[in-house]
Amino acid sequence: MCSGPCQRHQDQSGHHQDRINGCCAAGGRVRGFLQPRLLLLLLQQPDYGYALLERLSSEGSTGGVDPGLLYRTLRQMERHDLVRSTWDTEGQGPARRRYEVTPEGVEMLHAWAARITQTQRRLSEFLDQYEKSFEDRKQEEVI
Amino acid sequence: MCSGPCQRHQDQSGHHQDRINGCCAAGGRVRGFLQPRLLLLLLQQPDYGYALLERLSSEGSTGGVDPGLLYRTLRQMERHDLVRSTWDTEGQGPARRRYEVTPEGVEMLHAWAARITQTQRRLSEFLDQYEKSFEDRKQEEVI
DNA sequence: TGCTATATATGACTATGTCATATAGATGTA
DNA sequence: TACATCTATATGACATAGTCATATATAGCA
């Protein structure tokens, strides 16, 4: 429904307002999912922000994230002691902030995984009910 | 991790600040999930806000929603022509606003279902990688 | 010098959700 | 009558995650 540039929910200046999350949004991004993804990536291999951007965007069409969000999220996770960073001045180009997961970060990743498993169950229940509803409706039409 | 009343991320006034979504939050609520749930419930049976609150909270421990959010969401969905409402002054107690799904709302529900299916796939991929990561780590420990 | 790629970061804004509170009709009861 | 409670809808202030635009700075190359 209303994919691509959506006229319906735009004001005169072309900005969206009172937009419904699932509608208009080009990407099918899952909210609150960046942090666990980062924890897992950094656990697999410590890295710096710009490289993480590339690793994320290589995860498929909806994998890419906004650089601003990425850097802010990494700093927030550092404030919460989930990751640690050190400046890396070696190599070419500007200095890089290299992140690695802390033991607390690993614990948090386990908590995220449990939560995501629970979310999956909830989504399954919804989809079951959804399909059931439309099966019933089809049968009613036949009768 | 830090379930129940969380000391870690509180300021002096007892308010939470700079809190991470998955952390501290008592409920495992899925964000952006209320609208499709409402569309499905109203499709199964048209109803008014207060009754929907009860139908939602009977859906298990994480099913309940904030009344303020519910009423605002219903009005928002009406602005977007996903539902329609009429005042019901019959029966006892104050008047009720009775909602029903529009054809546009049904279309939107299909769009939501497609999106939720996609979300499920993404969560599965994450969990697969997560489990794989910790299998590998276990093996390393053995070696 | 100017252009591009790399790298990190902030500002303004939106959407969803949380928590507290306001408003008001109907009903029971002291 | 007064008041307390249940039912029912609604608003205000605020938090968190995400989007979009933009700032800043190093390094290499034409």
Side-chain angles (χ1 to χ4, degrees):
Chain A
M1 167 164 286
C2 84
S3 60
C6 161
Q7 259 87 63
R8 182 177 182 85
H9 305 128
Q10 281 184 357
D11 58 17
Q12 306 96 310
S13 63
H15 286 258
H16 278 86
Q17 236 144 12
D18 188 30
R19 179 175 77 168
I20 290 182
N21 188 309
C23 177
C24 309
R29 281 169 188 79
V30 183
R31 196 183 175 96
F33 197 42
L34 180 55
Q35 295 197 28
R37 286 170 79 200
L38 285 175
L39 285 172
L40 186 53
L41 282 179
L42 288 174
L43 192 76
Q44 288 167 349
Q45 188 188 306
D47 224 330
Y48 53 97
Y50 199 82
L52 288 166
L53 273 178
E54 289 174 339
R55 289 172 69 188
L56 285 165
S57 59
S58 75
E59 276 185 10
S61 59
T62 56
V65 295
D66 176 74
L69 178 61
L70 181 99
Y71 289 113
R72 252 193 289 248
T73 303
L74 287 169
R75 304 289 258 139
Q76 183 200 25
M77 288 164 75
E78 189 165 27
R79 280 199 304 281
H80 287 280
D81 300 320
L82 304 178
V83 296
R84 227 189 329 258
S85 76
T86 48
W87 280 106
D88 177 7
T89 51
E90 291 175 42
Q92 60 231 44
R96 313 155 164 180
R97 197 188 277 277
R98 184 185 181 74
Y99 286 93
E100 58 184 339
V101 183
T102 63
E104 282 194 51
V106 175
E107 260 187 83
M108 188 56 143
L109 178 55
H110 291 314
W112 272 116
R115 193 189 160 128
I116 288 166
T117 303
Q118 202 186 330
T119 297
Q120 262 204 328
R121 204 158 29 236
R122 304 249 299 134
L123 300 188
S124 285
E125 282 165 21
F126 174 86
L127 290 173
D128 284 352
Q129 282 214 15
Y130 164 77
E131 277 160 34
K132 204 161 152 290
S133 285
F134 282 91
E135 274 171 30
D136 293 353
R137 302 210 135 215
K138 265 189 194 164
Q139 286 209 333
E140 277 172 37
E141 280 170 31
V142 173
I143 297 164
Chain B
M1 165 163 286
C2 85
S3 60
C6 161
Q7 259 86 64
R8 182 177 181 86
H9 304 128
Q10 281 184 356
D11 58 18
Q12 305 97 311
S13 64
H15 285 260
H16 278 85
Q17 237 146 10
D18 188 30
R19 180 174 75 167
I20 290 183
N21 187 308
C23 179
C24 308
R29 282 170 187 79
V30 183
R31 195 181 174 98
F33 196 43
L34 179 56
Q35 295 195 29
R37 286 170 80 201
L38 285 175
L39 285 172
L40 186 52
L41 281 179
L42 288 174
L43 191 77
Q44 288 167 348
Q45 186 188 307
D47 223 330
Y48 53 97
Y50 199 82
L52 288 166
L53 273 180
E54 289 173 339
R55 288 172 70 187
L56 285 166
S57 58
S58 74
E59 276 185 10
S61 59
T62 56
V65 296
D66 177 74
L69 178 61
L70 180 99
Y71 289 113
R72 251 193 289 248
T73 303
L74 286 168
R75 304 289 258 138
Q76 183 201 24
M77 289 165 73
E78 190 165 27
R79 280 200 303 280
H80 287 280
D81 299 320
L82 304 178
V83 296
R84 226 189 330 257
S85 75
T86 48
W87 281 105
D88 176 8
T89 50
E90 292 175 40
Q92 61 230 44
R96 315 155 162 181
R97 198 188 276 279
R98 183 185 181 75
Y99 287 94
E100 58 185 338
V101 183
T102 63
E104 283 195 52
V106 176
E107 260 187 83
M108 188 53 143
L109 179 56
H110 291 314
W112 272 115
R115 194 190 159 124
I116 288 167
T117 302
Q118 202 185 332
T119 296
Q120 262 204 328
R121 203 158 32 237
R122 304 249 300 134
L123 299 190
S124 285
E125 282 165 20
F126 173 86
L127 289 173
D128 284 351
Q129 280 214 15
Y130 164 78
E131 277 161 33
K132 204 160 151 292
S133 285
F134 283 92
E135 274 171 30
D136 293 352
R137 303 209 136 217
K138 267 189 194 162
Q139 287 209 333
E140 276 171 38
E141 282 170 29
V142 173
I143 296 162

